[in-house]
């Protein structure tokens, strides 16, 4: 027979078990703090994410740390200003709390902000624009002028005198390529060098012009390509036709896996590279700070380097170019 004291103990045990169950499986007693998730949209100027692989890794890391839902959006047509504007308006209307934009036309986006058509925080990616005085604006970018200058100086130090130097790019380059070109030209002019230009207006133009020039004096020809897309095309052409060892050298900028492979194989002689993982991380972190109404200091220019084939085995560059997610 169970006496009254034992009955009371069993009842107490039962109550404790019920209480522990409620604590562990429900929020009736202790309510968990709800984490609010904010949407942030990244809108770039390109049609693919080929040049944004490491950027996206950094972006995803920051999204987890700052509890953000980040969307990465490309254009349907490359460097289409109106299309980018439509996507900006759409993302804002659909509830994005901040925008990270690599602008096709920075002035056009500034105008949208000044007209109050963009009413949420805006982070400019790869643009010199930092603040408009209207709304919350920040900037994450690299010093492309300095990158171009350093690449040209390194090329001149590596090459013998009397080389024919060609600058290759689109006939209507984007703002980054223009800044890079200005830096290259400054260094060449300082050294008393006058390069020639090869410009592509349609697909295949640049490749055809380059092949024509290489037939004349391949050993005395140095190529500096002003953008990653054309650099990939020219490197592929030199590789397929076994011409990489026949010319003075191929130089350019970019961090895609294909370009790093061409550098490793000796097709590209020197490459300007950027810390895209940090750019992605800081872009999202900055957006989170702006959404939270916190002051964001100017990040300045992010890290970039000129590297050669042997530098790919350098641990510091390996971490930057092949970041672990």
């Amino acid at each position: 027979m169970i006496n009254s004291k034992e009955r009371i103990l069993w009842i107490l045990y039962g109550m404790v078990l019920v209480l522990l169950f409620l604590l562990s499986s429900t929020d009736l007693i202790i309510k968990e703090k709800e984490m609010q998730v904010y949407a942030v949209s990244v809108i770039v100027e390109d049609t693919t994410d080929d040049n944004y692989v490491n950027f996206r890794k950094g972006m995803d890391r920051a999204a987890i740390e700052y509890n953000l839902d980040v969307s990465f959006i490309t254009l349907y047509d490359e460097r289409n200003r109106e299309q980018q504007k439509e996507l900006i308006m759409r993302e804002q209307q659909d509830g994005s709390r901040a925008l990270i934009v690599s602008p096709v036309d920075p002035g056009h986006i500034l105008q949208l902000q000044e007209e109050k058509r963009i009413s949420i925080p805006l982070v400019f990616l790869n643009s010199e624009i930092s603040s408009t005085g209207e709304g919350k604006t920040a900037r994450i970018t690299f010093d492309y002028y300095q990158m171009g200058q350093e690449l040209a100086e390194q090329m001149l130090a590596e090459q013998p005198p009397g080389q024919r130097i060609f600058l290759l790019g689109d006939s209507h380059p984007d703002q980054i390529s223009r800044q890079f070109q200005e830096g290259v030209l400054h260094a060449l002019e300082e050294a008393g060098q006058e390069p020639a230009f090869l410009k592509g207006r349609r697909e295949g133009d640049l490749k055809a012009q380059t092949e024509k020039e290489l037939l004349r004096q391949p050993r005395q020809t140095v190529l500096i390509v002003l953008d990653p897309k054309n650099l990939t095309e020219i490197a592929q052409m030199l590789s397929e036709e076994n011409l990489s060892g026949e010319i003075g050298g191929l130089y350019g900028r970019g961090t895609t896996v294909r370009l790093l492979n061409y550098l490793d194989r000796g097709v590209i002689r020197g490459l300007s590279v950027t810390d895209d993982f940090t750019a992605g991380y800081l872009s999202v972190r900055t957006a989170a700070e702006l959404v939270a109404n916190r002051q964001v200091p100017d990040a300045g220019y992010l890290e970039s380097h000129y590297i050669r084939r042997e530098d790919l085995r350098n641990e510091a560059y390996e971490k930057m170019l092949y970041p672990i997610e």
Side-chain angles (χ1 to χ4, degrees):
M1 294 290 293
I2 298 175
N3 59 38
S4 59
K5 286 185 179 180
E6 290 176 333
R7 188 179 294 112
I8 292 171
L9 284 173
W10 280 110
I11 291 171
L12 288 174
Y13 286 147
M15 292 173 66
V16 169
L17 289 173
V18 171
L19 180 62
L20 290 174
F21 172 78
L22 292 174
L23 287 172
S24 63
S25 61
T26 74
D27 60 357
L28 291 175
I29 298 175
I30 300 176
K31 292 183 179 293
E32 290 187 13
K33 185 179 178 181
E34 292 185 8
M35 294 294 291
Q36 196 160 10
V37 179
Y38 294 118
V40 171
S41 299
V42 180
I43 304 173
V44 299
E45 81 295 352
D46 214 335
T47 55
T48 71
D49 69 347
D50 291 351
N51 294 315
Y52 288 91
V53 173
N54 287 345
F55 178 92
R56 293 193 68 171
K57 291 179 182 179
M59 177 191 87
D60 292 340
R61 173 77 62 82
I64 293 169
E65 290 185 15
Y66 290 90
N67 204 44
L68 299 174
D69 179 15
V70 182
S71 302
F72 185 89
I73 301 163
T74 58
L75 303 183
Y76 307 113
D77 301 308
E78 189 177 21
R79 288 158 52 188
N80 187 312
R81 187 181 82 167
E82 291 304 312
Q83 211 171 84
Q84 190 172 62
K85 173 187 136 182
E86 290 170 8
L87 289 170
I88 287 170
M89 296 295 103
R90 184 195 74 184
E91 292 302 302
Q92 179 175 249
Q93 185 176 354
D94 287 351
S96 280
R97 297 292 300 273
L99 297 169
I100 300 168
V101 181
S102 178
V104 175
D105 182 348
H108 185 56
I109 296 179
L110 268 183
Q111 184 180 350
L112 293 174
Q113 194 178 45
E114 289 167 357
E115 292 172 354
K116 311 291 186 183
R117 298 180 68 184
I118 299 178
S119 57
I120 58 178
L122 180 62
V123 179
F124 281 100
L125 179 63
N126 293 327
S127 173
E128 291 297 321
I129 294 173
S130 58
S131 179
T132 63
E134 297 286 341
K136 302 173 187 174
T137 310
R139 176 192 72 168
I140 302 293
T141 192
F142 300 91
D143 190 343
Y144 291 100
Y145 180 93
Q146 187 274 334
M147 286 170 58
Q149 185 174 327
E150 182 182 15
L151 180 136
E153 290 170 350
Q154 294 286 347
M155 180 275 295
L156 290 169
E158 295 169 1
Q159 294 292 332
Q163 297 291 75
R164 300 187 312 147
I165 302 170
F166 290 90
L167 302 190
L168 284 62
D170 291 336
S171 56
H172 299 289
D174 58 31
Q175 57 169 338
I176 296 173
S177 299
R178 286 195 297 270
Q179 292 167 16
F180 187 75
Q181 175 183 305
E182 288 170 6
V184 170
L185 287 174
H186 176 79
L188 293 179
E189 289 168 3
E190 288 282 305
Q193 299 286 336
E194 188 174 345
F197 284 86
L198 299 179
K199 296 183 178 181
R201 291 174 175 80
R202 295 181 300 275
E203 188 174 351
D205 275 2
L206 210 53
K207 180 181 173 182
Q209 292 178 61
T210 304
E211 288 178 319
K212 182 179 178 181
E213 289 297 335
L214 290 179
L215 289 174
R216 296 172 57 195
Q217 293 175 298
R219 290 284 181 187
Q220 284 75 47
T221 301
V222 174
L223 307 175
I224 300 177
V225 188
L226 303 172
D227 63 275
K229 182 179 178 182
N230 282 312
L231 179 59
T232 304
E233 182 180 325
I234 297 301
Q236 181 178 348
M237 181 265 290
L238 294 176
S239 177
E240 290 175 350
E241 300 184 16
N242 295 317
L243 291 172
S244 57
E246 302 299 319
I247 68 169
L250 174 65
Y251 299 82
R253 65 178 180 87
T255 55
T256 65
V257 172
R258 288 187 69 186
L259 290 178
L260 295 174
N261 285 340
Y262 282 130
L263 180 67
D264 195 27
R265 290 163 52 190
V267 178
I268 295 174
R269 180 88 175 259
L271 195 62
S272 292
V273 295
T274 50
D275 186 356
D276 295 342
F277 181 91
T278 298
Y281 183 89
L282 288 181
S283 296
V284 173
R285 188 181 78 176
T286 300
E289 298 288 343
L290 291 175
V291 169
N293 294 312
R294 285 193 280 268
Q295 189 74 23
V296 177
D298 189 346
Y301 291 119
L302 302 187
E303 190 176 5
S304 63
H305 300 275
Y306 172 83
I307 63 172
R308 303 175 182 84
R309 181 180 186 177
E310 56 269 23
D311 294 321
L312 290 172
R313 307 294 177 262
N314 183 305
E315 186 178 350
Y317 293 134
E318 277 188 330
K319 288 180 179 179
M320 186 183 82
L321 298 170
Y322 305 101
I324 299 172
E325 295 181 67

